[in-house]
Amino acid sequence: MIFVDSSLPQPDGTVGGDKVQHLAGWNYVRPSGPVEPVLQTADGLTLGSSRQDVLDVYGDQAQEVASGAAGGGSLGVFLGDFGDLVFDFDTDGDVAVMESGQVCD
């Protein structure tokens, strides 16, 4: 997770107002062992969900984007605000990484 001290971004892309600490991005990567609690999107997608699961939830909103390191391609969902999501798939077609917002490489 990345927290920043800056003005809050607005859905229309503008930024203004007082500086406040807020979550600017997150990255959820499949670990080598079980993790509790299991984090998931509001639609129930989580690490291990299939490519088809992502397409079933987002349909045409899910677009191919530059592939992540997991080796199975990536789908991005861009909703026109700061609620973007990227799903990176492993070679079996299962979600290995989920990320949103500003992330560090």
XYZ file of all heavy atoms in Angstrom:
758
model
N 0.841 -1.170 0.000
C 0.000 0.000 0.000
C 0.886 1.232 0.000
O 1.944 1.240 0.614
C -0.890 0.023 1.229
C -1.933 -1.006 1.239
S -2.993 -0.730 2.673
C -3.849 -2.250 2.646
N 0.426 2.249 -0.674
C 1.158 3.501 -0.725
C 0.262 4.610 -0.174
O -0.838 4.835 -0.681
C 1.572 3.845 -2.158
C 2.511 2.768 -2.690
C 2.230 5.213 -2.228
C 2.827 2.903 -4.143
N 0.734 5.239 0.882
C 0.046 6.392 1.442
C 0.844 7.638 1.097
O 2.075 7.617 1.132
C -0.084 6.268 2.971
C -1.051 5.201 3.393
C -0.626 3.898 3.603
C -2.386 5.509 3.560
C -1.522 2.911 3.991
C -3.294 4.523 3.945
C -2.856 3.228 4.170
N 0.157 8.705 0.725
C 0.827 9.961 0.403
C 0.189 11.099 1.184
O -0.969 11.010 1.598
C 0.779 10.268 -1.116
C 1.536 9.214 -1.912
C -0.645 10.373 -1.619
N 0.950 12.157 1.382
C 0.446 13.396 1.981
C 0.306 14.408 0.864
O 1.286 15.036 0.465
C 1.411 13.923 3.050
C 1.427 13.057 4.289
O 0.336 12.689 4.753
O 2.517 12.747 4.784
N -0.886 14.529 0.331
C -1.136 15.483 -0.741
C -2.626 15.793 -0.779
O -3.416 15.205 -0.048
C -0.671 14.915 -2.088
O -1.434 13.793 -2.445
N -2.982 16.709 -1.655
C -4.397 17.014 -1.843
C -5.083 15.793 -2.435
O -4.477 15.023 -3.184
C -4.562 18.202 -2.783
O -3.933 19.336 -2.236
N -6.331 15.605 -2.104
C -7.072 14.451 -2.602
C -7.421 14.609 -4.078
O -7.960 15.634 -4.483
C -8.361 14.255 -1.805
C -8.196 13.804 -0.362
C -9.549 13.836 0.344
C -7.588 12.421 -0.300
N -7.143 13.578 -4.884
C -7.563 13.618 -6.289
C -9.070 13.426 -6.377
O -9.666 12.706 -5.572
C -6.814 12.444 -6.914
C -6.517 11.528 -5.781
C -6.397 12.381 -4.554
N -9.677 14.074 -7.348
C -11.111 13.977 -7.553
C -11.402 13.113 -8.778
O -10.546 12.965 -9.652
C -11.712 15.377 -7.730
C -11.458 16.299 -6.554
C -12.008 15.750 -5.250
O -13.179 15.398 -5.173
N -11.161 15.656 -4.237
N -12.592 12.524 -8.880
C -12.912 11.671 -10.027
C -12.739 12.341 -11.379
O -12.449 11.680 -12.364
C -14.376 11.291 -9.785
C -14.528 11.348 -8.304
C -13.642 12.513 -7.880
N -12.880 13.666 -11.440
C -12.723 14.351 -12.725
C -11.263 14.652 -13.056
O -10.957 15.278 -14.065
C -13.541 15.638 -12.763
C -13.052 16.697 -11.783
O -12.059 16.465 -11.057
O -13.679 17.777 -11.734
N -10.337 14.205 -12.196
C -8.919 14.401 -12.465
C -8.303 15.618 -11.822
O -7.088 15.774 -11.838
N -9.112 16.495 -11.252
C -8.569 17.681 -10.599
C -8.016 17.316 -9.223
O -8.391 16.306 -8.638
C -9.638 18.782 -10.444
O -10.706 18.267 -9.636
C -10.171 19.212 -11.796
N -7.119 18.130 -8.743
C -6.541 17.948 -7.417
C -6.537 19.306 -6.741
O -6.120 20.293 -7.330
C -5.102 17.393 -7.501
C -4.498 17.267 -6.118
C -5.082 16.060 -8.217
N -6.995 19.353 -5.506
C -7.006 20.631 -4.810
C -7.378 20.447 -3.357
O -7.749 19.361 -2.931
N -7.238 21.519 -2.631
C -7.597 21.477 -1.226
C -6.408 21.199 -0.337
O -5.260 21.142 -0.771
N -6.695 21.022 0.932
C -5.652 20.778 1.923
C -4.974 19.435 1.693
O -5.586 18.483 1.202
C -6.250 20.790 3.335
C -6.798 22.150 3.723
O -6.322 23.166 3.168
O -7.710 22.184 4.573
N -3.717 19.364 2.102
C -3.002 18.101 2.039
C -3.479 17.204 3.169
O -3.699 17.653 4.287
C -1.498 18.330 2.158
C -0.917 19.013 0.946
C 0.582 19.140 1.054
C 1.122 19.795 -0.203
N 2.581 19.868 -0.198
N -3.683 15.932 2.834
C -4.153 14.956 3.808
C -3.539 13.604 3.445
O -3.355 13.283 2.272
C -5.698 14.889 3.828
C -6.261 14.484 2.484
C -6.198 13.990 4.919
N -3.204 12.802 4.451
C -2.668 11.478 4.159
C -3.801 10.587 3.661
O -4.878 10.537 4.247
C -2.020 10.863 5.399
C -1.312 9.562 5.074
C -0.610 8.962 6.257
O -1.263 8.577 7.226
N 0.699 8.883 6.181
N -3.558 9.884 2.537
C -4.573 8.991 1.988
C -3.914 7.853 1.212
O -2.760 7.936 0.810
C -5.552 9.756 1.090
C -4.929 10.377 -0.113
N -4.285 11.593 -0.058
C -4.832 9.953 -1.394
C -3.831 11.898 -1.258
N -4.144 10.918 -2.090
N -4.667 6.790 1.036
C -4.213 5.644 0.263
C -4.220 6.022 -1.209
O -5.255 6.371 -1.759
C -5.131 4.440 0.512
C -4.814 3.174 -0.269
C -3.459 2.606 0.161
C -5.910 2.151 -0.073
N -3.055 5.958 -1.853
C -2.945 6.351 -3.252
C -2.809 5.147 -4.180
O -2.973 5.268 -5.377
C -1.757 7.290 -3.433
N -2.487 4.004 -3.636
C -2.354 2.821 -4.473
C -2.101 1.590 -3.642
O -1.680 1.682 -2.489
N -2.378 0.429 -4.236
C -2.126 -0.816 -3.537
C -1.762 -1.886 -4.541
O -2.040 -1.791 -5.725
C -3.315 -1.243 -2.684
C -4.616 -1.345 -3.424
C -5.552 -0.367 -3.565
C -5.116 -2.480 -4.142
N -6.603 -0.813 -4.309
C -6.359 -2.106 -4.678
C -4.642 -3.757 -4.374
C -7.136 -2.980 -5.442
C -5.412 -4.628 -5.135
C -6.643 -4.232 -5.648
N -1.126 -2.924 -4.033
C -0.651 -4.031 -4.840
C -0.841 -5.284 -3.992
O -0.373 -5.332 -2.858
C 0.825 -3.754 -5.161
C 1.482 -4.804 -5.989
O 1.448 -5.972 -5.646
N 2.122 -4.383 -7.049
N -1.556 -6.284 -4.500
C -1.850 -7.520 -3.778
C -1.274 -8.663 -4.599
O -1.722 -8.929 -5.713
C -3.361 -7.652 -3.615
C -3.867 -8.786 -2.755
C -3.212 -9.205 -1.606
C -5.050 -9.429 -3.087
C -3.708 -10.230 -0.815
C -5.564 -10.453 -2.300
C -4.887 -10.853 -1.171
O -5.396 -11.868 -0.400
N -0.249 -9.329 -4.081
C 0.498 -10.339 -4.812
C 0.301 -11.694 -4.154
O 0.350 -11.812 -2.929
C 2.004 -9.981 -4.838
C 2.803 -11.028 -5.570
C 2.213 -8.604 -5.443
N 0.120 -12.724 -4.988
C -0.078 -14.069 -4.465
C 1.163 -14.508 -3.688
O 2.272 -14.505 -4.218
C -0.351 -15.049 -5.598
C -0.638 -16.455 -5.086
C -1.053 -17.396 -6.183
N -0.064 -17.415 -7.241
C -0.362 -17.645 -8.515
N -1.599 -17.853 -8.873
N 0.581 -17.660 -9.418
N 0.986 -14.869 -2.440
C 2.113 -15.327 -1.623
C 2.405 -16.805 -1.879
O 1.671 -17.478 -2.593
C 1.609 -15.119 -0.199
C 0.132 -15.356 -0.321
C -0.260 -14.824 -1.693
N 3.452 -17.298 -1.272
C 3.787 -18.708 -1.431
C 2.956 -19.608 -0.520
O 2.945 -20.815 -0.695
C 5.275 -18.927 -1.145
O 5.577 -18.501 0.167
N 2.250 -19.027 0.427
C 1.412 -19.808 1.336
C 0.093 -19.112 1.591
O -0.155 -18.028 1.081
N -0.790 -19.718 2.376
C -2.104 -19.128 2.660
C -2.001 -17.792 3.406
O -1.090 -17.586 4.195
C -2.787 -20.162 3.543
C -1.926 -21.360 3.567
C -0.587 -20.987 3.038
N -2.936 -16.911 3.123
C -3.012 -15.607 3.781
C -4.421 -15.433 4.318
O -5.392 -15.754 3.648
C -2.689 -14.462 2.792
C -2.941 -13.115 3.423
C -1.269 -14.566 2.290
N -4.539 -14.944 5.528
C -5.845 -14.655 6.124
C -5.840 -13.222 6.611
O -4.849 -12.796 7.181
C -6.131 -15.599 7.295
C -6.331 -17.047 6.889
C -7.588 -17.276 6.059
O -8.572 -16.519 6.235
O -7.583 -18.183 5.231
N -6.862 -12.432 6.419
C -8.039 -12.775 5.640
C -7.742 -12.677 4.143
O -6.810 -11.989 3.732
C -9.054 -11.704 6.060
C -8.215 -10.509 6.344
C -6.934 -11.059 6.945
N -8.552 -13.341 3.347
C -8.434 -13.251 1.894
C -9.092 -11.942 1.467
O -10.251 -11.696 1.785
C -9.129 -14.451 1.211
C -9.133 -14.280 -0.290
C -8.441 -15.747 1.618
N -8.328 -11.096 0.784
C -8.870 -9.829 0.301
C -9.520 -10.047 -1.058
O -9.041 -10.846 -1.864
C -7.753 -8.797 0.192
C -6.983 -8.522 1.481
C -5.869 -7.514 1.227
C -7.909 -8.033 2.577
N -10.622 -9.331 -1.316
C -11.310 -9.468 -2.596
C -11.975 -8.159 -2.979
O -12.203 -7.292 -2.136
C -12.334 -10.588 -2.543
C -13.459 -10.360 -1.556
C -14.410 -11.544 -1.484
O -14.132 -12.604 -2.025
N -15.532 -11.367 -0.826
N -12.271 -8.033 -4.266
C -12.989 -6.855 -4.738
C -14.448 -6.952 -4.285
O -14.903 -8.006 -3.826
C -12.956 -6.756 -6.271
O -13.712 -7.848 -6.817
C -11.532 -6.776 -6.817
N -15.187 -5.883 -4.450
C -16.610 -5.885 -4.094
C -17.377 -6.931 -4.902
O -18.418 -7.415 -4.465
C -17.202 -4.501 -4.320
N -16.840 -7.302 -6.075
C -17.487 -8.297 -6.926
C -16.989 -9.712 -6.670
O -17.329 -10.638 -7.401
C -17.271 -7.943 -8.398
C -17.911 -6.613 -8.745
O -19.112 -6.453 -8.491
O -17.196 -5.731 -9.272
N -16.129 -9.897 -5.654
C -15.674 -11.225 -5.269
C -14.433 -11.725 -5.971
O -14.053 -12.884 -5.811
N -13.770 -10.889 -6.769
C -12.535 -11.313 -7.431
C -11.372 -11.239 -6.455
O -11.272 -10.301 -5.664
C -12.244 -10.428 -8.642
C -13.298 -10.483 -9.747
C -13.026 -9.409 -10.792
C -13.353 -11.864 -10.376
N -10.492 -12.225 -6.512
C -9.345 -12.273 -5.622
C -8.204 -12.992 -6.312
O -8.342 -13.435 -7.460
C -9.713 -12.947 -4.287
O -8.653 -12.753 -3.353
C -10.014 -14.422 -4.453
N -7.067 -13.112 -5.638
C -5.966 -13.897 -6.167
C -6.474 -15.315 -6.395
O -7.176 -15.873 -5.558
C -4.797 -13.898 -5.190
C -4.197 -12.522 -4.883
C -3.099 -12.655 -3.835
C -3.661 -11.852 -6.133
N -6.146 -15.884 -7.542
C -6.623 -17.220 -7.885
C -7.876 -17.223 -8.743
O -8.232 -18.250 -9.314
N -8.576 -16.076 -8.843
C -9.716 -15.995 -9.757
C -9.202 -16.210 -11.182
O -8.048 -15.913 -11.484
C -10.397 -14.629 -9.664
O -10.989 -14.431 -8.408
N -10.050 -16.713 -12.059
C -9.621 -16.977 -13.428
C -9.795 -15.739 -14.309
O -10.513 -14.804 -13.957
C -10.435 -18.123 -14.017
O -11.779 -17.710 -14.234
N -9.133 -15.777 -15.466
C -9.313 -14.715 -16.472
C -10.805 -14.610 -16.819
O -11.345 -13.507 -16.934
C -8.485 -15.019 -17.714
C -8.696 -14.029 -18.846
C -7.853 -14.387 -20.046
N -6.464 -14.070 -19.819
C -5.898 -12.908 -20.161
N -6.611 -11.974 -20.751
N -4.636 -12.683 -19.924
N -11.473 -15.763 -16.955
C -12.891 -15.743 -17.292
C -13.724 -15.103 -16.181
O -14.688 -14.402 -16.468
C -13.404 -17.150 -17.599
C -14.811 -17.153 -18.168
C -14.915 -16.352 -19.468
O -14.149 -16.578 -20.394
N -15.848 -15.416 -19.521
N -13.344 -15.314 -14.919
C -14.041 -14.661 -13.805
C -13.977 -13.143 -13.966
O -14.973 -12.443 -13.764
C -13.421 -15.033 -12.455
C -13.618 -16.484 -12.067
O -14.566 -17.130 -12.563
O -12.798 -16.987 -11.257
N -12.794 -12.628 -14.303
C -12.620 -11.181 -14.489
C -13.487 -10.702 -15.654
O -14.189 -9.686 -15.550
C -11.133 -10.815 -14.701
C -10.980 -9.336 -15.029
C -10.315 -11.186 -13.462
N -13.472 -11.445 -16.756
C -14.292 -11.066 -17.914
C -15.780 -11.158 -17.600
O -16.561 -10.330 -18.076
C -13.932 -11.944 -19.109
C -12.540 -11.697 -19.692
C -12.193 -12.776 -20.713
C -12.429 -10.313 -20.287
N -16.182 -12.133 -16.795
C -17.595 -12.253 -16.419
C -18.064 -11.039 -15.618
O -19.199 -10.590 -15.760
C -17.838 -13.525 -15.605
C -17.759 -14.800 -16.438
O -17.765 -14.719 -17.690
O -17.674 -15.881 -15.826
N -17.189 -10.502 -14.772
C -17.549 -9.343 -13.951
C -17.492 -8.049 -14.767
O -18.404 -7.231 -14.721
C -16.633 -9.231 -12.709
C -16.824 -7.890 -12.005
C -16.901 -10.380 -11.750
N -16.412 -7.850 -15.534
C -16.183 -6.559 -16.181
C -16.489 -6.518 -17.669
O -16.578 -5.433 -18.246
C -14.745 -6.095 -15.938
C -14.518 -5.746 -14.488
C -13.762 -6.572 -13.668
C -15.077 -4.598 -13.935
C -13.553 -6.257 -12.332
C -14.884 -4.281 -12.609
C -14.118 -5.122 -11.813
O -13.923 -4.807 -10.494
N -16.659 -7.660 -18.318
C -17.005 -7.688 -19.734
C -16.071 -6.849 -20.580
O -14.845 -6.939 -20.466
N -16.651 -5.990 -21.430
C -15.882 -5.153 -22.348
C -15.048 -4.083 -21.647
O -14.189 -3.469 -22.274
C -16.802 -4.467 -23.363
C -17.409 -5.462 -24.339
O -16.856 -6.576 -24.476
O -18.438 -5.125 -24.955
N -15.313 -3.838 -20.369
C -14.498 -2.866 -19.635
C -13.093 -3.397 -19.373
O -12.191 -2.630 -19.101
C -15.151 -2.510 -18.299
C -16.412 -1.697 -18.433
C -17.013 -1.418 -17.071
O -17.297 -2.342 -16.314
N -17.208 -0.148 -16.767
N -12.903 -4.715 -19.419
C -11.593 -5.324 -19.186
C -10.841 -5.372 -20.511
O -11.272 -6.026 -21.457
C -11.750 -6.732 -18.616
N -9.735 -4.650 -20.569
C -8.939 -4.536 -21.790
C -7.531 -5.058 -21.563
O -6.975 -4.877 -20.476
C -8.873 -3.064 -22.230
C -10.219 -2.425 -22.473
C -10.936 -3.015 -23.668
O -10.329 -3.238 -24.697
N -12.224 -3.277 -23.521
N -6.934 -5.686 -22.582
C -5.548 -6.132 -22.491
C -4.645 -4.924 -22.257
O -4.814 -3.887 -22.899
C -5.118 -6.843 -23.772
C -5.817 -8.165 -24.019
C -5.378 -9.280 -23.076
O -4.264 -9.219 -22.530
O -6.176 -10.205 -22.893
N -3.724 -5.058 -21.322
C -2.730 -4.015 -21.044
C -1.356 -4.677 -21.024
O -1.240 -5.897 -21.132
C -3.016 -3.291 -19.701
C -4.328 -2.524 -19.771
C -3.039 -4.265 -18.533
N -0.307 -3.881 -20.876
C 1.051 -4.415 -20.832
C 1.145 -5.505 -19.774
O 0.678 -5.339 -18.653
C 2.051 -3.304 -20.539
N 1.735 -6.621 -20.163
C 1.805 -7.780 -19.268
C 2.673 -7.537 -18.054
O 3.722 -6.909 -18.146
C 2.349 -8.991 -20.024
O 1.434 -9.394 -20.999
N 2.234 -8.077 -16.930
C 3.019 -8.053 -15.711
C 4.008 -9.209 -15.692
O 4.119 -9.979 -16.651
N 4.689 -9.364 -14.596
C 5.762 -10.353 -14.479
C 5.266 -11.782 -14.296
O 6.055 -12.718 -14.358
C 6.664 -9.979 -13.308
N 3.968 -11.995 -14.085
C 3.461 -13.335 -13.789
C 3.422 -14.247 -15.019
O 3.266 -15.449 -14.890
C 2.089 -13.247 -13.140
N 3.536 -13.697 -16.222
C 3.685 -14.492 -17.427
C 2.430 -14.884 -18.175
O 2.501 -15.551 -19.196
N 1.256 -14.468 -17.718
C 0.017 -14.879 -18.368
C -0.809 -13.741 -18.921
O -1.994 -13.905 -19.180
N -0.215 -12.572 -19.116
C -0.948 -11.418 -19.624
C -1.651 -10.655 -18.516
O -1.643 -11.076 -17.355
N -2.247 -9.543 -18.890
C -2.896 -8.662 -17.912
C -4.142 -8.037 -18.510
O -4.188 -7.748 -19.705
C -1.942 -7.543 -17.480
O -0.783 -8.069 -16.891
N -5.138 -7.825 -17.670
C -6.337 -7.085 -18.048
C -6.453 -5.863 -17.154
O -6.272 -5.962 -15.933
C -7.598 -7.948 -17.876
C -7.778 -9.108 -18.848
C -8.999 -9.946 -18.440
C -7.936 -8.605 -20.272
N -6.744 -4.717 -17.756
C -6.959 -3.493 -17.010
C -8.409 -3.071 -17.099
O -9.053 -3.244 -18.135
N -8.916 -2.541 -16.016
C -10.279 -2.018 -15.958
C -10.161 -0.566 -15.543
O -9.746 -0.266 -14.426
C -11.148 -2.810 -14.949
C -12.548 -2.241 -14.900
C -11.155 -4.286 -15.295
N -10.501 0.341 -16.463
C -10.358 1.769 -16.218
C -11.739 2.399 -16.236
O -12.406 2.416 -17.255
C -9.427 2.394 -17.251
C -8.086 1.705 -17.266
C -7.794 0.752 -18.216
C -7.149 1.973 -16.280
C -6.576 0.087 -18.203
C -5.929 1.319 -16.251
C -5.644 0.369 -17.220
N -12.162 2.869 -15.070
C -13.533 3.343 -14.898
C -13.665 4.856 -15.029
O -14.695 5.412 -14.683
C -14.069 2.863 -13.548
C -14.010 1.341 -13.348
C -14.430 0.965 -11.937
C -14.872 0.632 -14.382
N -12.601 5.528 -15.501
C -12.669 6.965 -15.706
C -12.411 7.765 -14.452
O -12.639 8.958 -14.415
N -11.943 7.116 -13.402
C -11.618 7.824 -12.175
C -10.379 7.168 -11.586
O -9.590 6.576 -12.303
C -12.804 7.819 -11.198
C -13.248 6.409 -10.811
O -12.493 5.452 -11.059
O -14.335 6.277 -10.246
N -10.205 7.266 -10.292
C -9.036 6.676 -9.658
C -9.299 5.249 -9.185
O -8.542 4.693 -8.427
C -8.554 7.569 -8.508
C -7.988 8.858 -9.009
C -8.786 9.981 -9.108
C -6.669 8.936 -9.418
C -8.272 11.163 -9.597
C -6.154 10.111 -9.912
C -6.953 11.229 -10.006
N -10.396 4.648 -9.633
C -10.744 3.292 -9.252
C -10.280 2.252 -10.254
O -10.923 1.245 -10.434
N -9.165 2.518 -10.946
C -8.673 1.563 -11.928
C -8.169 0.286 -11.257
O -7.766 0.295 -10.106
C -7.556 2.184 -12.755
C -6.373 2.609 -11.895
O -6.588 3.295 -10.888
O -5.229 2.231 -12.222
N -8.233 -0.823 -11.981
C -7.743 -2.111 -11.497
C -6.933 -2.775 -12.596
O -7.292 -2.693 -13.770
C -8.901 -3.051 -11.150
C -9.712 -2.776 -9.916
C -10.977 -3.643 -9.914
C -8.895 -3.092 -8.677
N -5.856 -3.455 -12.229
C -5.103 -4.275 -13.170
C -4.983 -5.662 -12.559
O -4.633 -5.812 -11.389
C -3.706 -3.687 -13.463
C -2.903 -4.609 -14.359
C -3.833 -2.304 -14.104
N -5.313 -6.664 -13.366
C -5.217 -8.059 -12.967
C -4.114 -8.697 -13.799
O -4.200 -8.721 -15.032
C -6.534 -8.796 -13.233
C -7.705 -8.260 -12.458
C -8.503 -7.261 -12.986
C -8.008 -8.752 -11.203
C -9.592 -6.769 -12.281
C -9.087 -8.264 -10.479
C -9.883 -7.266 -11.019
N -3.061 -9.199 -13.162
C -1.987 -9.925 -13.837
C -2.227 -11.409 -13.630
O -2.475 -11.854 -12.498
C -0.614 -9.553 -13.264
C -0.232 -8.104 -13.536
O -0.659 -7.554 -14.567
O 0.500 -7.539 -12.719
N -2.119 -12.191 -14.712
C -2.408 -13.619 -14.668
C -1.132 -14.448 -14.750
O -0.175 -14.070 -15.425
C -3.334 -14.004 -15.825
C -4.632 -13.250 -15.796
C -4.788 -12.086 -16.526
C -5.688 -13.685 -15.013
C -5.973 -11.371 -16.491
C -6.877 -12.980 -14.966
C -7.022 -11.816 -15.698
N -1.159 -15.612 -14.084
C -0.039 -16.542 -14.202
C -0.224 -17.349 -15.484
O -1.180 -17.145 -16.240
C 0.085 -17.426 -12.957
C -1.127 -18.321 -12.709
O -1.936 -18.562 -13.645
O -1.274 -18.793 -11.573
N 0.686 -18.266 -15.755
C 0.636 -19.034 -16.996
C -0.545 -20.001 -17.057
O -0.861 -20.511 -18.124
C 1.960 -19.790 -17.219
O 2.230 -20.598 -16.069
C 3.114 -18.807 -17.440
N -1.217 -20.240 -15.934
C -2.438 -21.057 -15.921
C -3.691 -20.214 -16.139
O -4.802 -20.749 -16.171
C -2.568 -21.806 -14.587
C -1.502 -22.870 -14.404
O -1.076 -23.472 -15.422
O -1.083 -23.105 -13.261
N -3.533 -18.883 -16.246
C -4.676 -17.998 -16.456
C -5.387 -17.578 -15.189
O -6.526 -17.115 -15.238
N -4.726 -17.716 -14.046
C -5.315 -17.302 -12.771
C -4.679 -16.006 -12.288
O -3.499 -15.746 -12.551
C -5.102 -18.385 -11.705
C -5.810 -19.683 -12.056
O -6.916 -19.621 -12.645
O -5.264 -20.752 -11.749
N -5.454 -15.188 -11.582
C -4.951 -13.913 -11.075
C -3.817 -14.164 -10.083
O -3.979 -14.875 -9.094
C -6.074 -13.096 -10.394
C -5.508 -11.822 -9.783
C -7.180 -12.759 -11.382
N -2.649 -13.578 -10.385
C -1.482 -13.686 -9.512
C -1.195 -12.362 -8.813
O -0.598 -12.343 -7.741
C -0.259 -14.124 -10.304
N -1.630 -11.246 -9.429
C -1.401 -9.910 -8.875
C -2.613 -9.046 -9.187
O -3.149 -9.091 -10.289
C -0.134 -9.246 -9.484
C 0.065 -7.841 -8.927
C 1.096 -10.103 -9.270
N -3.036 -8.252 -8.203
C -4.074 -7.238 -8.397
C -3.484 -5.924 -7.920
O -2.820 -5.880 -6.888
C -5.324 -7.572 -7.571
C -5.993 -8.853 -7.978
S -7.239 -9.465 -6.786
C -8.231 -8.044 -6.445
N -3.711 -4.840 -8.682
C -3.194 -3.545 -8.245
C -4.109 -2.426 -8.699
O -4.897 -2.571 -9.630
C -1.779 -3.327 -8.748
C -1.633 -3.343 -10.245
C -0.181 -3.316 -10.668
O 0.573 -4.234 -10.313
O 0.186 -2.361 -11.377
N -3.992 -1.298 -8.008
C -4.800 -0.136 -8.330
C -4.094 1.112 -7.864
O -3.314 1.080 -6.908
C -6.156 -0.235 -7.634
O -6.967 0.882 -7.947
N -4.372 2.226 -8.530
C -3.816 3.510 -8.128
C -2.352 3.649 -8.482
O -1.870 3.062 -9.433
N -1.632 4.413 -7.685
C -0.204 4.626 -7.867
C 0.545 3.488 -7.193
O 0.293 3.190 -6.039
C 0.232 5.948 -7.237
C -0.480 7.147 -7.771
C -0.157 8.390 -6.962
O 0.588 8.348 -6.005
N -0.734 9.481 -7.355
N 1.431 2.850 -7.925
C 2.227 1.769 -7.340
C 3.697 2.012 -7.636
O 4.048 2.703 -8.572
C 1.815 0.376 -7.849
C 0.402 0.051 -7.404
C 1.926 0.282 -9.357
N 4.544 1.453 -6.822
C 5.994 1.548 -7.020
C 6.500 0.240 -7.582
O 6.054 -0.815 -7.170
C 6.706 1.818 -5.696
S 6.352 3.433 -5.023
N 7.431 0.328 -8.505
C 8.062 -0.879 -9.043
C 9.418 -1.071 -8.437
O 10.073 -0.189 -8.030
C 8.201 -0.771 -10.566
C 6.819 -0.777 -11.236
O 5.944 -1.511 -10.776
O 6.677 -0.046 -12.227
